[in-house]
Amino acid sequence: MPNAPHISIQGLDVRYRTRDGWVTALEGLDLEVPPRSFVSVVGPSGCGKTTLLKIVSGILRPSRGLVFLDATPIENLRLEGQVGFVFQRPLLLPWRSALANVVLASEIVQKTVPRAERLAEARRWLEITGLTGFEERLPHELSGGMQQRVALSRALVFHPRILLMDEPFAALDEITREAMQGELLNIWSHIENTILFVTHSISEAVLLSERVVVLSARPGRVQEILDIPFPRPRTEALRGEREFTELVQHIRGKLRAAPAKAR
């Protein structure tokens, strides 16, 4: 798997036009994401969290500022095959089996790889995510958690350097969500990706991450960046520790104290 990059975001502004005028989604945002780190972004609804992921993926261009991967501006890079994206909804093609949905990504970005190799790698990721025996099931035959495992496998099958995750577990019930968090931590311990993870769940961010970025209400600015001190591997038992609870309460207080600014 390719080495994970250092992501550097400098002076990022993102503005867009609406019917009511211009809106500033992000303003003056500076952020460093070390290689092979797990960084979560939390903030109020509408503060630009998803916009930030789209900027890093190259889907959107900033209005101002720069984004670098290993000191190279992303506009000078070919990002196809370097970035995997997991969304809140699995977004699986309903007529394709789990295996066919996973291999779809490598069909697009690894055209020169023999089909047999792409299929073998897709099967390997379905095995890693606990879906052995479900390869030929259609999406409607899978539970919500299973569908999200397929989506995670699809994002990882072509070995991206960066994994962007936009509230991937938000639609799941609490038990399934906790299981998926544990699954993600287990997978991440064996790969070399940099993960940038957006969530509304403060406890999820603290449990999963090495660093949590707290954004203000729109326009999104960095309020605070917290290094999470807990050693790995981490388990659900961590939620019961006082230091964990104190960190969650600290972040919650930051978010409550930052009113939105009209812009």
CSV table of all heavy atoms in Angstrom, one decimal, residues 159-203:
chain,number,residue,atom,x,y,z
A,159,HIS,N,-6.4,0.7,-2.7
A,159,HIS,CA,-5.2,1.2,-1.8
A,159,HIS,C,-5.0,2.7,-1.9
A,159,HIS,O,-3.9,3.2,-2.2
A,159,HIS,CB,-4.0,0.5,-2.3
A,159,HIS,CG,-4.1,-1.0,-2.2
A,159,HIS,ND1,-3.1,-1.8,-2.7
A,159,HIS,CD2,-5.0,-1.8,-1.7
A,159,HIS,CE1,-3.4,-3.1,-2.5
A,159,HIS,NE2,-4.6,-3.1,-1.9
A,160,PRO,N,-6.0,3.5,-1.5
A,160,PRO,CA,-5.8,4.9,-1.6
A,160,PRO,C,-4.9,5.4,-0.5
A,160,PRO,O,-4.8,4.8,0.6
A,160,PRO,CB,-7.2,5.5,-1.3
A,160,PRO,CG,-7.9,4.4,-0.5
A,160,PRO,CD,-7.4,3.1,-1.0
A,161,ARG,N,-4.2,6.5,-0.8
A,161,ARG,CA,-3.3,7.0,0.2
A,161,ARG,C,-4.1,7.8,1.3
A,161,ARG,O,-3.6,7.9,2.5
A,161,ARG,CB,-2.3,8.0,-0.4
A,161,ARG,CG,-1.5,7.4,-1.5
A,161,ARG,CD,-0.6,8.5,-2.2
A,161,ARG,NE,0.5,8.9,-1.3
A,161,ARG,CZ,1.1,10.1,-1.4
A,161,ARG,NH1,0.7,11.0,-2.3
A,161,ARG,NH2,2.1,10.3,-0.6
A,162,ILE,N,-5.2,8.3,1.0
A,162,ILE,CA,-6.0,9.1,1.9
A,162,ILE,C,-7.4,8.5,1.9
A,162,ILE,O,-8.0,8.2,0.9
A,162,ILE,CB,-6.1,10.6,1.5
A,162,ILE,CG1,-4.8,11.2,1.4
A,162,ILE,CG2,-7.0,11.3,2.5
A,162,ILE,CD1,-4.8,12.6,0.7
A,163,LEU,N,-8.0,8.3,3.1
A,163,LEU,CA,-9.4,7.9,3.2
A,163,LEU,C,-10.2,9.0,3.9
A,163,LEU,O,-9.9,9.4,5.0
A,163,LEU,CB,-9.5,6.6,4.1
A,163,LEU,CG,-10.9,6.0,4.3
A,163,LEU,CD1,-11.4,5.6,2.9
A,163,LEU,CD2,-10.8,4.8,5.2
A,164,LEU,N,-11.2,9.5,3.2
A,164,LEU,CA,-12.0,10.6,3.6
A,164,LEU,C,-13.4,9.9,4.0
A,164,LEU,O,-14.0,9.2,3.2
A,164,LEU,CB,-12.2,11.6,2.6
A,164,LEU,CG,-11.0,12.3,2.0
A,164,LEU,CD1,-11.3,13.2,0.9
A,164,LEU,CD2,-10.2,13.0,3.1
A,165,MET,N,-13.9,10.2,5.2
A,165,MET,CA,-15.1,9.6,5.7
A,165,MET,C,-16.0,10.7,6.2
A,165,MET,O,-15.7,11.4,7.2
A,165,MET,CB,-14.7,8.6,6.8
A,165,MET,CG,-13.7,7.6,6.4
A,165,MET,SD,-13.4,6.2,7.6
A,165,MET,CE,-14.9,5.2,7.2
A,166,ASP,N,-17.2,10.7,5.6
A,166,ASP,CA,-18.2,11.8,5.9
A,166,ASP,C,-19.3,11.2,6.7
A,166,ASP,O,-20.3,10.7,6.1
A,166,ASP,CB,-18.7,12.4,4.6
A,166,ASP,CG,-19.5,13.7,4.9
A,166,ASP,OD1,-19.6,14.1,6.1
A,166,ASP,OD2,-20.0,14.2,3.9
A,167,GLU,N,-19.2,11.2,8.0
A,167,GLU,CA,-20.3,10.7,8.9
A,167,GLU,C,-20.7,9.3,8.5
A,167,GLU,O,-21.9,9.0,8.3
A,167,GLU,CB,-21.5,11.6,9.0
A,167,GLU,CG,-21.2,13.0,9.5
A,167,GLU,CD,-22.4,13.8,9.8
A,167,GLU,OE1,-23.2,13.4,10.6
A,167,GLU,OE2,-22.6,14.8,9.1
A,168,PRO,N,-19.8,8.3,8.3
A,168,PRO,CA,-20.1,7.1,7.7
A,168,PRO,C,-21.0,6.2,8.5
A,168,PRO,O,-21.7,5.3,8.0
A,168,PRO,CB,-18.8,6.4,7.5
A,168,PRO,CG,-17.9,7.0,8.6
A,168,PRO,CD,-18.4,8.4,8.7
A,169,PHE,N,-21.1,6.4,9.8
A,169,PHE,CA,-21.9,5.5,10.7
A,169,PHE,C,-23.1,6.2,11.3
A,169,PHE,O,-23.8,5.7,12.1
A,169,PHE,CB,-21.0,5.0,11.9
A,169,PHE,CG,-19.7,4.4,11.4
A,169,PHE,CD1,-18.5,4.7,12.2
A,169,PHE,CD2,-19.6,3.7,10.3
A,169,PHE,CE1,-17.3,4.1,11.8
A,169,PHE,CE2,-18.4,3.2,9.9
A,169,PHE,CZ,-17.2,3.4,10.6
A,170,ALA,N,-23.4,7.4,10.8
A,170,ALA,CA,-24.5,8.2,11.4
A,170,ALA,C,-25.9,7.6,11.3
A,170,ALA,O,-26.7,7.8,12.1
A,170,ALA,CB,-24.5,9.6,10.8
A,171,ALA,N,-26.1,6.8,10.2
A,171,ALA,CA,-27.4,6.2,10.0
A,171,ALA,C,-27.6,4.9,10.6
A,171,ALA,O,-28.7,4.3,10.5
A,171,ALA,CB,-27.7,6.1,8.5
A,172,LEU,N,-26.6,4.4,11.3
A,172,LEU,CA,-26.7,3.1,11.9
A,172,LEU,C,-27.2,3.1,13.4
A,172,LEU,O,-27.0,4.2,14.1
A,172,LEU,CB,-25.3,2.4,11.9
A,172,LEU,CG,-24.6,2.3,10.6
A,172,LEU,CD1,-23.2,1.7,10.7
A,172,LEU,CD2,-25.4,1.5,9.6
A,173,ASP,N,-27.8,2.0,13.8
A,173,ASP,CA,-28.2,2.0,15.2
A,173,ASP,C,-27.0,1.9,16.1
A,173,ASP,O,-25.8,1.7,15.6
A,173,ASP,CB,-29.1,0.7,15.5
A,173,ASP,CG,-28.3,-0.6,15.2
A,173,ASP,OD1,-27.6,-1.0,16.2
A,173,ASP,OD2,-28.4,-1.1,14.1
A,174,GLU,N,-27.1,2.2,17.4
A,174,GLU,CA,-26.0,2.4,18.3
A,174,GLU,C,-25.1,1.1,18.4
A,174,GLU,O,-23.9,1.3,18.3
A,174,GLU,CB,-26.5,2.7,19.7
A,174,GLU,CG,-25.4,3.0,20.7
A,174,GLU,CD,-25.9,3.5,22.0
A,174,GLU,OE1,-27.2,3.6,22.2
A,174,GLU,OE2,-25.1,3.8,22.9
A,175,ILE,N,-25.7,0.0,18.4
A,175,ILE,CA,-24.9,-1.3,18.6
A,175,ILE,C,-24.1,-1.5,17.3
A,175,ILE,O,-22.9,-1.8,17.3
A,175,ILE,CB,-25.8,-2.5,18.9
A,175,ILE,CG1,-26.5,-2.3,20.2
A,175,ILE,CG2,-24.9,-3.8,18.9
A,175,ILE,CD1,-25.6,-2.1,21.4
A,176,THR,N,-24.7,-1.3,16.1
A,176,THR,CA,-24.0,-1.5,14.9
A,176,THR,C,-23.0,-0.5,14.7
A,176,THR,O,-21.9,-0.7,14.2
A,176,THR,CB,-25.0,-1.5,13.7
A,176,THR,OG1,-26.1,-2.4,13.9
A,176,THR,CG2,-24.3,-1.7,12.4
A,177,ARG,N,-23.3,0.7,15.1
A,177,ARG,CA,-22.3,1.8,15.0
A,177,ARG,C,-21.0,1.5,15.8
A,177,ARG,O,-19.9,1.7,15.3
A,177,ARG,CB,-22.9,3.1,15.5
A,177,ARG,CG,-22.0,4.4,15.3
A,177,ARG,CD,-22.8,5.6,15.6
A,177,ARG,NE,-22.0,6.8,15.4
A,177,ARG,CZ,-22.5,8.0,15.0
A,177,ARG,NH1,-23.8,8.1,14.9
A,177,ARG,NH2,-21.7,9.0,14.8
A,178,GLU,N,-21.2,1.1,17.0
A,178,GLU,CA,-20.1,0.7,17.9
A,178,GLU,C,-19.2,-0.4,17.2
A,178,GLU,O,-18.0,-0.4,17.3
A,178,GLU,CB,-20.5,0.3,19.3
A,178,GLU,CG,-21.1,1.5,20.0
A,178,GLU,CD,-21.6,1.2,21.4
A,178,GLU,OE1,-21.6,-0.1,21.7
A,178,GLU,OE2,-22.0,2.1,22.1
A,179,ALA,N,-20.0,-1.4,16.6
A,179,ALA,CA,-19.3,-2.5,16.0
A,179,ALA,C,-18.4,-2.0,14.8
A,179,ALA,O,-17.3,-2.4,14.6
A,179,ALA,CB,-20.3,-3.6,15.5
A,180,MET,N,-19.0,-1.1,14.0
A,180,MET,CA,-18.3,-0.5,12.9
A,180,MET,C,-17.1,0.3,13.3
A,180,MET,O,-16.1,0.3,12.6
A,180,MET,CB,-19.3,0.3,12.0
A,180,MET,CG,-20.3,-0.5,11.2
A,180,MET,SD,-19.5,-1.6,10.0
A,180,MET,CE,-18.7,-0.4,8.9
A,181,GLN,N,-17.2,1.0,14.4
A,181,GLN,CA,-16.1,1.8,14.9
A,181,GLN,C,-14.9,0.9,15.3
A,181,GLN,O,-13.8,1.1,14.9
A,181,GLN,CB,-16.5,2.6,16.2
A,181,GLN,CG,-17.5,3.7,15.9
A,181,GLN,CD,-18.1,4.3,17.1
A,181,GLN,OE1,-17.9,3.8,18.2
A,181,GLN,NE2,-19.0,5.3,17.0
A,182,GLY,N,-15.2,-0.2,15.9
A,182,GLY,CA,-14.2,-1.2,16.3
A,182,GLY,C,-13.6,-1.8,15.0
A,182,GLY,O,-12.4,-2.0,14.9
A,183,GLU,N,-14.4,-2.1,14.0
A,183,GLU,CA,-14.0,-2.7,12.8
A,183,GLU,C,-13.0,-1.7,12.1
A,183,GLU,O,-12.0,-2.1,11.6
A,183,GLU,CB,-15.2,-3.0,11.9
A,183,GLU,CG,-14.8,-3.8,10.6
A,183,GLU,CD,-14.6,-5.3,11.0
A,183,GLU,OE1,-15.3,-5.8,11.8
A,183,GLU,OE2,-13.6,-5.8,10.4
A,184,LEU,N,-13.4,-0.4,12.1
A,184,LEU,CA,-12.5,0.6,11.4
A,184,LEU,C,-11.2,0.7,12.1
A,184,LEU,O,-10.1,0.8,11.5
A,184,LEU,CB,-13.3,1.9,11.4
A,184,LEU,CG,-12.5,3.1,10.8
A,184,LEU,CD1,-12.1,2.8,9.3
A,184,LEU,CD2,-13.3,4.4,10.9
A,185,LEU,N,-11.2,0.7,13.4
A,185,LEU,CA,-9.9,0.8,14.2
A,185,LEU,C,-9.1,-0.4,13.9
A,185,LEU,O,-7.8,-0.3,13.7
A,185,LEU,CB,-10.2,0.9,15.7
A,185,LEU,CG,-10.7,2.2,16.2
A,185,LEU,CD1,-11.0,2.2,17.7
A,185,LEU,CD2,-9.7,3.3,15.9
A,186,ASN,N,-9.7,-1.6,13.8
A,186,ASN,CA,-8.9,-2.8,13.5
A,186,ASN,C,-8.3,-2.7,12.1
A,186,ASN,O,-7.1,-3.1,11.9
A,186,ASN,CB,-9.8,-4.0,13.6
A,186,ASN,CG,-9.1,-5.3,13.3
A,186,ASN,OD1,-8.1,-5.6,14.0
A,186,ASN,ND2,-9.6,-6.1,12.3
A,187,ILE,N,-9.1,-2.3,11.1
A,187,ILE,CA,-8.6,-2.2,9.7
A,187,ILE,C,-7.5,-1.1,9.7
A,187,ILE,O,-6.4,-1.4,9.1
A,187,ILE,CB,-9.7,-1.8,8.8
A,187,ILE,CG1,-10.7,-3.0,8.7
A,187,ILE,CG2,-9.2,-1.4,7.4
A,187,ILE,CD1,-12.0,-2.6,7.9
A,188,TRP,N,-7.7,0.0,10.3
A,188,TRP,CA,-6.7,1.1,10.2
A,188,TRP,C,-5.4,0.7,10.8
A,188,TRP,O,-4.3,1.2,10.4
A,188,TRP,CB,-7.3,2.3,10.9
A,188,TRP,CG,-6.3,3.5,10.8
A,188,TRP,CD1,-6.0,4.2,9.6
A,188,TRP,CD2,-5.6,4.1,11.8
A,188,TRP,NE1,-5.1,5.2,10.0
A,188,TRP,CE2,-4.9,5.2,11.3
A,188,TRP,CE3,-5.5,3.9,13.2
A,188,TRP,CZ2,-4.0,6.0,12.1
A,188,TRP,CZ3,-4.7,4.7,14.0
A,188,TRP,CH2,-4.0,5.7,13.4
A,189,SER,N,-5.4,-0.2,11.8
A,189,SER,CA,-4.1,-0.6,12.4
A,189,SER,C,-3.3,-1.5,11.5
A,189,SER,O,-2.1,-1.7,11.7
A,189,SER,CB,-4.4,-1.5,13.7
A,189,SER,OG,-5.0,-2.7,13.4
A,190,HIS,N,-3.9,-1.9,10.4
A,190,HIS,CA,-3.1,-2.8,9.4
A,190,HIS,C,-2.8,-2.1,8.1
A,190,HIS,O,-2.3,-2.7,7.2
A,190,HIS,CB,-3.9,-4.1,9.2
A,190,HIS,CG,-4.0,-4.9,10.4
A,190,HIS,ND1,-5.0,-4.9,11.3
A,190,HIS,CD2,-3.1,-5.9,10.9
A,190,HIS,CE1,-4.8,-5.8,12.3
A,190,HIS,NE2,-3.7,-6.4,12.1
A,191,ILE,N,-3.3,-0.9,7.9
A,191,ILE,CA,-3.0,-0.2,6.7
A,191,ILE,C,-2.2,1.1,6.9
A,191,ILE,O,-1.9,1.4,8.0
A,191,ILE,CB,-4.4,0.2,6.0
A,191,ILE,CG1,-5.2,1.1,6.8
A,191,ILE,CG2,-5.2,-1.1,5.6
A,191,ILE,CD1,-6.6,1.5,6.2
A,192,GLU,N,-1.9,1.8,5.8
A,192,GLU,CA,-1.0,2.9,5.9
A,192,GLU,C,-1.7,4.2,5.5
A,192,GLU,O,-1.0,5.2,5.1
A,192,GLU,CB,0.3,2.7,5.1
A,192,GLU,CG,1.1,1.5,5.6
A,192,GLU,CD,2.3,1.3,4.8
A,192,GLU,OE1,2.5,2.0,3.8
A,192,GLU,OE2,3.1,0.5,5.2
A,193,ASN,N,-3.0,4.2,5.5
A,193,ASN,CA,-3.7,5.4,5.1
A,193,ASN,C,-3.7,6.6,6.1
A,193,ASN,O,-3.5,6.3,7.3
A,193,ASN,CB,-5.2,5.1,4.9
A,193,ASN,CG,-5.5,4.0,3.9
A,193,ASN,OD1,-5.1,2.9,4.2
A,193,ASN,ND2,-6.1,4.3,2.8
A,194,THR,N,-3.8,7.8,5.6
A,194,THR,CA,-4.2,8.9,6.4
A,194,THR,C,-5.7,9.0,6.4
A,194,THR,O,-6.3,8.9,5.3
A,194,THR,CB,-3.6,10.2,5.9
A,194,THR,OG1,-2.2,10.1,5.9
A,194,THR,CG2,-4.1,11.4,6.6
A,195,ILE,N,-6.4,9.1,7.5
A,195,ILE,CA,-7.8,9.2,7.6
A,195,ILE,C,-8.2,10.5,8.1
A,195,ILE,O,-7.8,11.0,9.1
A,195,ILE,CB,-8.4,8.1,8.5
A,195,ILE,CG1,-8.1,6.7,7.9
A,195,ILE,CG2,-9.9,8.3,8.6
A,195,ILE,CD1,-8.7,5.5,8.7
A,196,LEU,N,-9.1,11.2,7.3
A,196,LEU,CA,-9.8,12.4,7.7
A,196,LEU,C,-11.2,12.1,7.9
A,196,LEU,O,-11.9,11.8,6.9
A,196,LEU,CB,-9.5,13.5,6.7
A,196,LEU,CG,-9.8,15.0,7.1
A,196,LEU,CD1,-9.1,15.4,8.4
A,196,LEU,CD2,-9.5,15.9,6.0
A,197,PHE,N,-11.8,12.2,9.1
A,197,PHE,CA,-13.1,11.6,9.5
A,197,PHE,C,-14.0,12.7,10.0
A,197,PHE,O,-13.6,13.4,10.9
A,197,PHE,CB,-12.8,10.6,10.5
A,197,PHE,CG,-14.0,9.8,11.0
A,197,PHE,CD1,-14.2,8.5,10.4
A,197,PHE,CD2,-14.9,10.2,11.9
A,197,PHE,CE1,-15.3,7.7,10.8
A,197,PHE,CE2,-16.0,9.4,12.3
A,197,PHE,CZ,-16.2,8.2,11.8
A,198,VAL,N,-15.1,12.9,9.4
A,198,VAL,CA,-16.1,13.9,9.8
A,198,VAL,C,-17.2,13.2,10.6
A,198,VAL,O,-17.7,12.2,10.2
A,198,VAL,CB,-16.7,14.7,8.6
A,198,VAL,CG1,-18.0,15.4,9.0
A,198,VAL,CG2,-15.7,15.7,8.1
A,199,THR,N,-17.6,13.8,11.7
A,199,THR,CA,-18.6,13.2,12.6
A,199,THR,C,-19.3,14.3,13.4
A,199,THR,O,-18.7,15.3,13.7
A,199,THR,CB,-18.1,12.1,13.5
A,199,THR,OG1,-19.2,11.6,14.3
A,199,THR,CG2,-17.0,12.6,14.4
A,200,HIS,N,-20.6,14.0,13.7
A,200,HIS,CA,-21.3,14.9,14.7
A,200,HIS,C,-21.2,14.3,16.1
A,200,HIS,O,-21.6,14.9,17.1
A,200,HIS,CB,-22.8,15.0,14.3
A,200,HIS,CG,-23.1,16.1,13.3
A,200,HIS,ND1,-23.4,15.8,12.0
A,200,HIS,CD2,-23.0,17.4,13.4
A,200,HIS,CE1,-23.6,17.0,11.4
A,200,HIS,NE2,-23.4,17.9,12.2
A,201,SER,N,-20.7,13.1,16.2
A,201,SER,CA,-20.6,12.4,17.5
A,201,SER,C,-19.2,12.7,18.1
A,201,SER,O,-18.2,12.3,17.7
A,201,SER,CB,-20.7,10.9,17.3
A,201,SER,OG,-20.4,10.3,18.6
A,202,ILE,N,-19.2,13.5,19.2
A,202,ILE,CA,-18.0,13.9,19.9
A,202,ILE,C,-17.3,12.6,20.5
A,202,ILE,O,-16.1,12.5,20.3
A,202,ILE,CB,-18.3,14.9,21.0
A,202,ILE,CG1,-18.9,16.2,20.4
A,202,ILE,CG2,-17.0,15.3,21.7
A,202,ILE,CD1,-19.4,17.2,21.4
A,203,SER,N,-18.1,11.8,21.1
A,203,SER,CA,-17.5,10.6,21.7
A,203,SER,C,-16.8,9.7,20.6
A,203,SER,O,-15.8,9.0,20.8
A,203,SER,CB,-18.5,9.8,22.5
A,203,SER,OG,-19.6,9.3,21.7
